[in-house]
Amino acid sequence: MTDQLVGAAPVAPPADPEAGAKRTARRRRWRLTGLVILGWLALYGVWEYGSWWFGSRLLPTPYEVLLSAVEIVESGNFLTDFSASVLKTFAGFGVAAAVGAPIGYLMGRYNYWRAFFHDGVTIAGTIPAIVYAVMSLIVFGLSNLGPILAVALVSAPYIALNVAEGIRGVDKSLVTMSEAFGRTPQQIRKEVLIPTIVPYVFAAIRMCFAVAWKVEALTEVFGGRNGVGFQIRTEYQLYDIAAVLAWMFLFIVFMLIIERLVLAKSEARLLSWRPQERSSAL
Amino acid sequence: MAVLTIKNLAKTFNVGTPKASRVLDDISFDVRGGTFVSIVGPSGCGKSTLLNIISGVEEHTSGDISLTSDSGGPARMGYVFQDPRLLPWRSVMKNMMYVQNDRSEETVARARKYLDMVGLAKNADFFPGQLSGGMQQRVGIARAFAVEPDLLLMDEPFSHLDAITARGLRAQLQDIWAQSKKTVVFVTHDVVEAVELSDRIIVLQPGGRIYEDITIDLPRPRRQTDPTVATLQAEVLGRLEAMKTLSRTAAA
């Protein structure tokens, strides 16, 4: 036994640690990609099985939905309704940012304003989206303003609370450092305050985006004259479930593109200083 | 010529309340241009408060402080903190430039020069999160020197570092100071460090009064291994121990 140990092969020289780290990162990325594909395949399998179980009239197969989506895109109505929904979502989101961000700033910066807004914002954030949808339709009727108001009302509390948290999370020692070096309040705002709240703002945008388009579509289902929600209602009345799912599918694709190509990319660029962003870029 | 003059300075926290506590009492001293002055004393004797008052971050309750600059304009100050306090979202070079008043070529070159002096010229484009604690503190030191301050304030800048890194940085600080000859007020609770670096040591006692003002007349560069440095360190340490005993007796 001892002889075997003594006569063991010499220990190999340590490999290049940087190459090793890159190899590990590559392997991790492949494993993650594999899991994403597996997730999609599982979803597809469940859907196919569901179609077989319920019958394709009640739950059309993925292929039927895809055909219907192609038909919608080719019909020409797609762009008009789609852009109407997207524009209303963005407009609502813009209103929410214009109202929510200053409220969040005041809540994060001053205790008095925090006391003034806190309960109102919390209550506004807990009211179900459907209540906002119905209220907006009552106030604005069948105009485009209904969905915009609904999106704004649902998103504004999220934005306000996240911006407030961001402001409260500012590292005081960096502010003291800036003051000790004679930096002006404008410089401190630009170099310390805003970079601190950027991650919080991104979290708010992502959260709001996921909720905003659902509320927008829901409001159109109840009382829209155009848009994806309106088309979903029309197809539902015609009992064309494949078309209902196709509209939903197209909207999801668009939102995924926005999320992955616009939000995720700009977040990675703006937050490249964070260790987790750098390691994911390896 | 004195760069910094302090006369009868006092600081009381929570003035006019039952919680009022005096942390600095009747502090008077001046600091001549180009000297390295350390303020030492036990924890809670008001060292950091004094530095914050000098920098203007904190108000004093009574007394006078005056700062003069070579240019005749307002005095410029640099500050090295206990922790590096770098903006994590800015590169090392951008951190250096953040505290500068202009973006001229001369200023950029000066920032680069001090980064080079602390051995981090190659890391100018790194983010602070990519550097070790010691390297970050070196950036903090370079940043403070690069503003070409009339007065450089240092608040226990090596207290969060391990002994070996701190020793290396002390040597580096001595070299940079020897070249720049800036006026420095250095706060520390480490007497050994104070003797190694300073021309003069002001000892604060509990209650925030000056106990002793000691001149350190030793040739530079000084190293801890030098017997004359070690002897003087032991002597100053002995005086500090005597002060502590005296304070304890008075308190009893």
Side-chain angles (χ1 to χ4, degrees):
Chain A
M1 191 69 179
T2 315
D3 284 345
Q4 272 179 338
L5 278 174
V6 171
V11 178
D16 177 9
E18 203 175 317
K22 276 188 179 167
R23 210 167 29 244
T24 313
R26 209 164 36 235
R27 216 174 293 148
R28 200 178 55 217
R29 207 166 44 230
W30 275 113
R31 205 174 299 150
L32 284 175
T33 312
L35 283 170
V36 170
I37 293 169
L38 264 180
W40 279 104
L41 285 176
L43 190 68
Y44 178 82
V46 169
W47 190 347
E48 279 285 356
Y49 181 74
S51 297
W52 172 78
W53 182 262
F54 291 110
S56 67
R57 191 174 141 71
L58 214 58
L59 181 61
T61 62
Y63 182 67
E64 285 169 329
V65 173
L66 186 69
L67 282 183
S68 184
V70 171
E71 210 174 287
I72 290 168
V73 173
E74 284 175 349
S75 71
N77 296 336
F78 169 72
L79 266 183
T80 326
D81 286 298
F82 203 73
S83 55
S85 285
V86 170
L87 281 176
K88 279 182 266 184
T89 307
F90 279 113
F93 200 68
V95 173
V99 176
I103 290 177
Y105 177 81
L106 291 173
M107 284 174 70
R109 191 82 175 75
Y110 308 102
N111 281 336
Y112 289 119
W113 283 112
R114 186 175 179 79
F116 181 79
F117 282 118
H118 185 267
D119 289 347
V121 171
T122 309
I123 290 167
T126 53
I127 290 175
I130 194 158
V131 175
Y132 285 131
V134 172
M135 289 303 294
S136 306
L137 289 172
I138 291 170
V139 175
F140 289 111
L142 293 180
S143 77
N144 284 339
L145 290 175
I148 292 174
L149 181 70
V151 169
L153 287 171
V154 165
S155 308
Y158 284 109
I159 293 177
L161 288 173
N162 273 276
V163 169
E165 277 312 302
I167 299 276
R168 288 173 79 82
V170 167
D171 185 348
K172 301 280 187 301
S173 71
L174 291 180
V175 177
T176 316
M177 178 275 290
S178 304
E179 287 168 351
F181 279 102
R183 298 304 84 194
T184 62
Q186 287 93 326
Q187 284 174 312
I188 296 174
R189 238 190 322 270
K190 184 178 163 224
E191 294 291 335
V192 180
L193 226 62
I194 292 176
T196 304
I197 65 169
V198 164
Y200 292 90
V201 169
F202 264 105
I205 290 175
R206 285 186 149 185
M207 211 188 299
C208 287
F209 226 69
V211 178
W213 77 266
K214 289 179 205 160
V215 176
E216 197 279 332
L218 189 70
T219 317
E220 284 174 350
V221 167
F222 283 128
R225 282 187 302 185
N226 56 15
V228 174
F230 169 75
Q231 288 296 348
I232 288 174
R233 188 186 66 203
T234 310
E235 303 294 357
Y236 169 73
Q237 282 164 347
L238 297 171
Y239 207 70
D240 188 349
I241 306 299
V244 169
L245 292 177
W247 275 104
M248 185 197 74
F249 170 75
L250 288 168
F251 211 51
I252 288 171
V253 168
F254 178 77
M255 288 304 154
L256 276 179
I257 289 171
I258 295 271
E259 155 70 26
R260 295 283 159 89
L261 294 185
V262 181
L263 286 180
K265 293 276 179 203
S266 40
E267 187 174 14
R269 205 172 68 82
L270 279 169
L271 305 180
S272 59
W273 55 272
R274 295 202 301 192
Q276 62 265 39
E277 299 293 337
R278 283 201 307 276
S279 63
S280 65
L282 261 176
Chain B
M1 184 185 151
V3 169
L4 171 68
T5 308
I6 297 180
K7 271 187 192 159
N8 309 114
L9 182 112
K11 170 73 182 176
T12 306
F13 285 114
N14 304 313
V15 181
T17 69
K19 285 183 184 172
S21 69
R22 177 155 279 213
V23 287
L24 290 171
D25 191 12
D26 196 24
I27 302 284
S28 296
F29 67 90
D30 55 21
V31 178
R32 290 167 58 83
T35 55
F36 197 118
V37 176
S38 283
I39 297 170
V40 299
S43 295
C45 69
K47 304 183 296 280
S48 295
T49 307
L50 178 58
L51 216 59
N52 285 338
I53 291 171
I54 296 171
S55 72
V57 169
E58 219 159 285
E59 295 283 326
H60 53 285
T61 313
S62 61
D64 293 311
I65 291 187
S66 70
L67 273 165
T68 51
S69 72
D70 292 337
S71 60
R76 191 87 218 269
M77 270 185 282
Y79 209 128
V80 182
F81 301 87
Q82 285 181 20
D83 45 347
R85 301 202 187 180
L86 303 174
L87 304 175
W89 40 81
R90 292 279 179 253
S91 67
V92 165
M93 191 59 191
K94 283 186 176 163
N95 267 284
M96 297 285 291
M97 294 308 293
Y98 172 53
V99 297
Q100 299 290 345
N101 287 339
D102 64 85
R103 300 281 178 275
S104 66
E105 274 179 33
E106 190 192 335
T107 310
V108 175
R110 195 169 62 231
R112 283 197 188 285
K113 181 184 90 176
Y114 280 105
L115 265 187
D116 195 28
M117 283 168 90
V118 296
L120 291 172
K122 285 181 187 166
N123 304 88
D125 295 326
F126 281 41
F127 287 111
Q130 292 171 287
L131 306 177
S132 68
M135 289 162 97
Q136 290 186 27
Q137 195 59 310
R138 273 147 68 190
V139 177
I141 292 170
R143 175 179 66 183
F145 272 97
V147 298
E148 295 276 271
D150 296 296
L151 180 64
L152 178 54
L153 305 172
M154 304 181 90
D155 186 6
E156 303 193 44
F158 311 130
S159 61
H160 288 179
L161 303 173
D162 63 88
I164 295 171
T165 310
R167 195 173 176 173
L169 281 186
R170 273 198 298 271
Q172 216 160 33
L173 175 62
Q174 282 199 66
D175 294 341
I176 299 172
W177 181 78
Q179 289 177 53
S180 65
K181 281 286 174 193
K182 293 288 165 207
T183 313
V184 178
V185 175
F186 185 97
V187 160
T188 179
H189 60 263
D190 184 347
V191 174
V192 173
E193 183 174 84
V195 172
E196 192 182 334
L197 295 170
S198 322
D199 297 315
R200 198 173 140 207
I201 299 176
I202 294 170
V203 183
L204 289 189
Q205 59 184 346
R209 281 176 156 262
I210 293 179
Y211 173 75
E212 203 171 359
D213 193 334
I214 306 166
T215 303
I216 308 292
D217 191 12
L218 287 176
R220 291 175 184 275
R222 300 169 192 161
R223 295 291 180 255
Q224 272 185 16
T225 45
D226 188 338
T228 51
V229 174
T231 309
L232 197 59
Q233 282 168 342
E235 191 192 320
V236 175
L237 214 54
R239 288 198 217 178
L240 226 73
E241 284 301 324
M243 179 198 78
K244 278 185 189 170
T245 315
L246 212 67
S247 302
R248 269 200 295 272
T249 315

